[in-house]
Amino acid sequence: MQLTHAVDFTFALTLSQVAAVDFVRDVEKSLSKATFIEDLESTGNIVTASLPVNAALFGQQLLHFRSKLVPTVKGARLEPLPLDTDPAEEKQVGWAEVAGEALVKPLPQGSEVTYHFDITIHLLLPKAEKWGGKALTRMIEFTAKHVLETITSGFPKAVQEAAKEVEKAYSQL
C-alpha cells in the first residue's frame, strides 16, 4: 500500500536571503523542532531519519527514509533515495520517501521561505483476497492516511519554530 501527502507553507523571516538559504540547507537545524521525526542525521548531502507511526494492528512502528539534499540557487531540494536495506528482510511494516523543496525570496525586510514536501509511506501488507481481508486493508489504509496527515500537519510549525531560534541568534550578533 502506498499513500502520499503534500505539505505546502510559506512564512516570512527577518533573516537576509543568504542566511535564510543557509537555514533551509541545514536540515538538522531547520527540522530541529520536528518532534515527529526520530534519528534525524545529515551526513554530507544524505539525510536519514524515521517517522514514528502508530498503525492499526502493527502498533508503534518507525518508517525509515533516506533523501539526498541538493542545494539550489534559491534554497534546497530533497530527493528520495532507496534505503540501504530491504524493509521486508528486516521485518518492518514499511518505509517512507521524503521529497521536497525550500525556496527563499528576498523581502524588503528579510526573506520569504516557501516549503513544499511530498511524503509517501509504503506499507507492506499481505494480499487481501476475501472480504474480511479487504475490509481490514481499508481500515489500515484509513488509519495510515490519518497518521500521515497528522505527521505532515506538524511540519509548518516545527520549521517556523526552528527559524525563530535562528532569527534570535542572528539578532544577538
Side-chain angles (χ1 to χ4, degrees), residues 16 22 24-25 29 31 33 50 53 60 76 79 109 115 123 135 139 145 161 172:
S16 69
D22 288 344
V24 300
R25 288 180 181 170
K29 189 176 287 182
L31 295 179
K33 300 298 180 185
S50 300
V53 295
Q60 182 75 21
E79 298 174 351
Q109 299 285 323
Y115 275 90
L123 297 176
M139 183 179 77
K145 187 175 181 178
E161 284 179 4
Q172 294 174 353

Side-chain angles (χ1 to χ4, degrees), residues 11 50 59 64 67-68 74-75 92 121 123 126 132 140 148 158:
F11 61 97
S50 300
H64 303 293
S67 299
K68 179 179 180 180
K74 296 181 179 182
Q92 293 179 348
I121 60 171
L123 297 176
I140 291 170
L148 181 58

Side-chain angles (χ1 to χ4, degrees), residues 85-149:
T85 59
D86 183 356
E89 290 178 13
E90 291 193 15
K91 306 286 188 246
Q92 293 179 348
V93 299
W95 71 97
E97 292 178 5
V98 178
E101 187 164 18
L103 298 172
V104 178
K105 289 189 334 188
L107 293 176
Q109 299 285 323
S111 301
E112 179 182 81
V113 180
T114 299
Y115 275 90
H116 171 79
F117 285 107
D118 284 312
I119 300 168
T120 302
I121 60 171
H122 301 265
L123 297 176
L124 303 172
L125 301 175
K127 184 171 175 143
E129 297 186 18
K130 295 185 179 186
W131 70 268
K134 291 177 183 177
L136 181 61
T137 299
R138 284 191 200 105
M139 183 179 77
I140 291 170
E141 181 178 4
F142 175 79
T143 302
K145 187 175 181 178
H146 178 70
V147 167
L148 181 58
E149 289 170 358

